[in-house]
């Protein structure tokens, strides 16, 4: 299946998603395990989340999913708009930034129970003037986001 998203190297594994919503883990020269996340396309780059090596990514169905090392689903968080950009983990895993093609930039906080992340909660949302397809990054205390309105936005980030 075609892979339009980036890949994540974490420890000795490589994680990638295909356009048909399947997340796979490559190790020891072959695909060791796969899971059907969604039947919606996935162009979002997977990222590492948390201390246990979890994998976090969004899909066109507007849902962010978190999987453990063996690709068992840990939790889902519904955004409600198409996610094409990769999630950005910040603040030592306490925050996740995600952008949508509807122009939303969300800051999500980790929900922790007994020292384990069990979900995400919305902390803030900003609507930009165009679709967002690109990944974002942190730059000098701001979140840098490219937008289809022909602008590069710098959104001040408040640390936890």
């Amino acid at each position: 299946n075609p892979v339009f998203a980036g890949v994540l190297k974490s420890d000795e594994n490589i994680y990638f998603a295909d356009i048909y919503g399947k997340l796979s883990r490559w190790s020891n020269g072959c695909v060791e395990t796969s899971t059907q996340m969604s039947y919606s396309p996935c162009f979002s780059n997977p990222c590492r989340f948390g201390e246990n090596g979890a994998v976090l990514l969004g899909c066109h169905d507007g849902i962010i999913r978190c999987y453990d090392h063996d690709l068992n689903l840990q939790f889902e968080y519904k955004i409600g708009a198409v996610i094409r950009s990769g999630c950005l983990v910040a603040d030592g895993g306490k925050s996740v930034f995600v952008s949508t093609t509807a122009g939303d930039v969300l800051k999500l906080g980790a929900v922790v129970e007994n020292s384990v992340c069990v979900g995400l909660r919305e902390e803030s949302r900003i609507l930009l003037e165009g679709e967002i397809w690109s990944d974002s990054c942190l730059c000098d205390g701001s979140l840098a986001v490219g937008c289809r309105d022909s602008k590069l936005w710098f959104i001040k980030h408040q640390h936890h």
Side-chain angles (χ1 to χ4, degrees), residues 35-154:
T35 187
Q36 189 69 45
M37 301 180 301
S38 164
Y39 290 95
S40 178
C42 184
F43 293 0
S44 177
N45 298 334
C47 67
R48 188 171 175 162
F49 181 68
E51 295 176 10
N52 63 351
V55 177
L56 188 73
L57 75 163
C59 285
H60 280 94
D61 62 4
I63 298 174
I64 295 173
R65 293 176 175 85
C66 183
Y67 293 88
D68 69 11
H69 170 79
D70 294 317
L71 303 187
N72 298 305
L73 181 65
Q74 300 301 293
F75 62 83
E76 297 179 325
Y77 184 82
K78 185 171 182 159
I79 299 292
V82 173
I83 303 166
R84 286 196 176 153
S85 60
C87 298
L88 175 66
V89 178
D91 301 328
K94 295 178 185 172
S95 300
V96 175
F97 292 96
V98 63
S99 302
T100 72
T101 58
D104 297 301
V105 178
L106 294 92
K107 179 182 179 184
L108 307 173
V111 177
V112 178
E113 295 177 3
N114 300 321
S115 300
V116 175
C117 184
V118 295
L120 299 168
R121 70 180 179 291
E122 186 174 322
E123 293 186 349
S124 65
R125 181 185 296 238
I126 296 171
L127 181 61
L128 300 184
E129 298 171 6
E131 297 177 327
I132 303 167
W133 294 27
S134 62
D135 291 345
S136 57
C137 71
L138 288 172
C139 179
D140 297 326
S142 293
L143 182 71
V145 181
C147 187
R148 201 140 183 210
D149 62 359
S150 300
K151 297 177 185 171
L152 178 61
W153 292 81
F154 290 90

